[in-house]
Amino acid sequence: MDTKLADLRLRPWLLRELSQTGYEVVGDLQHLPTAELLRIPGMGGSDWRKIAKALGRDPFPAPKKRP
């Protein structure tokens, strides 16, 4: 989890937003749920997939089946 966010080749405005809020490495985002990460201004689908892969999360979780 020591991967720097700059190494993920994120969009410049998202990288600036994350650094302004104090996130420098991927491990800093570990405690945030998916919904909160996607609410960060500038966070798009491709950027989310890169961060999810670095965090070891599934970017496309299986939908819940209804009874």
Side-chain angles (χ1 to χ4, degrees):
M1 296 294 167
D2 294 334
T3 305
K4 293 187 180 230
L5 292 171
D7 295 340
L8 295 178
R9 298 182 55 187
L10 303 174
R11 291 186 174 99
W13 52 86
L14 176 61
L15 191 58
R16 184 174 45 242
E17 180 73 28
L18 291 172
S19 65
Q20 285 178 354
T21 54
Y23 301 118
E24 296 294 328
V25 294
V26 175
D28 295 341
L29 300 170
Q30 183 69 34
H31 71 282
L32 293 174
T34 300
E36 289 296 320
L37 284 171
L38 290 170
R39 285 187 189 120
I40 295 173
M43 180 74 72
S46 62
D47 293 324
W48 159 242
R49 287 190 293 274
K50 291 175 189 176
I51 291 174
K53 184 178 178 183
L55 287 172
R57 294 185 190 177
D58 184 16
F60 302 108
K64 295 180 183 178
K65 294 189 177 188
R66 294 186 178 187

